[in-house]
């Protein structure tokens, strides 16, 4: 019994210590806006924004539907399984052929506090070196926009 109480108290103490170490940040949904000057722009290729696996799922469903129209009984079940697997493979290959890289740019901005910030985003031809810009958001959703 004492071991259980000590275990719970240890877990509670650990939770209190860890939560005290957490740095406060902006509440979810709030957007940070910082300003700065573009130091460098490099052209890059971004991965396509299509969702991976959608072709396989759609192909598998189509194959299942077609397989269900063939035969009866056990033969029909086999046709449905083979149609699902074949459709998934075909759909995945078709999606791979149509996913092309998207032109983008890696932008290095010297923020007003002196910190260098690197952001990779889709191509924006209106941005240039030395331009004063805003950095909207943070993390994966951060974007550089002109002032």
């Amino acid at each position: 019994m004492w071991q259980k109480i000590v275990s719970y108290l240890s877990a509670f103490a650990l939770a209190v210590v860890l939560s005290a170490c957490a740095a406060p940040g902006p509440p979810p949904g709030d957007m940070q806006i910082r300003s700065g000057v573009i130091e460098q722009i490099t052209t890059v290729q971004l991965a396509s924004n299509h969702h991976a696996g959608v072709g396989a799922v759609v192909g598998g469903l189509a194959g299942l539907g077609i397989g269900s129209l063939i035969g009866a009984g056990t033969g029909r079940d086999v046709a449905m399984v083979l149609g699902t697997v074949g459709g998934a493979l075909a759909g995945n290959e078709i999606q791979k052929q149509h996913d092309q890289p998207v032109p983008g740019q890696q932008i290095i901005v010297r923020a007003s506090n002196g910190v260098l910030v690197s952001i990779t985003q889709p191509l924006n031809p209106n941005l240039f070196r030395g331009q004063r810009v805003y950095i909207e958001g943070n993390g994966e959703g951060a974007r550089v926009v002109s002032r």
Side-chain angles (χ1 to χ4, degrees):
M1 176 164 159
W2 285 104
Q3 289 177 338
K4 199 173 193 178
I5 293 172
V6 170
S7 174
Y8 286 130
L9 287 175
S10 297
F12 177 72
L14 181 62
V16 169
V17 169
L18 290 177
S19 66
C21 294
D30 282 0
M31 182 183 287
Q32 285 183 323
I33 298 179
R34 295 167 283 177
S35 62
V37 176
I38 294 178
E39 295 259 327
Q40 177 181 344
I41 298 178
T42 307
T43 304
V44 296
Q45 294 292 319
L46 302 175
S48 170
N49 59 0
H50 293 118
H51 300 289
V54 173
V57 171
V58 171
L61 290 174
L64 176 66
I66 292 170
S68 70
L69 300 174
I70 298 172
T74 306
R76 181 179 185 184
D77 294 341
V78 171
M80 289 171 62
V81 170
L82 291 176
T84 301
V85 171
L89 292 174
N92 190 40
E93 287 303 314
I94 290 170
Q95 182 178 10
K96 280 185 194 177
Q97 292 173 1
H98 288 89
D99 281 351
Q100 299 297 323
V102 177
Q105 53 194 176
Q106 179 186 28
I107 305 167
I108 304 209
V109 177
R110 182 166 303 275
S112 55
N113 62 2
V115 174
L116 288 174
V117 179
S118 174
I119 296 174
T120 304
Q121 67 183 36
L123 187 63
N124 182 346
N126 298 325
L127 298 176
F128 55 90
R129 189 169 182 256
Q131 182 179 14
R132 297 176 60 83
V133 293
Y134 290 118
I135 302 170
E136 294 181 345
N138 54 25
E140 291 283 324
R143 294 288 176 256
V144 175
V145 295
S146 59
R147 277 191 173 180

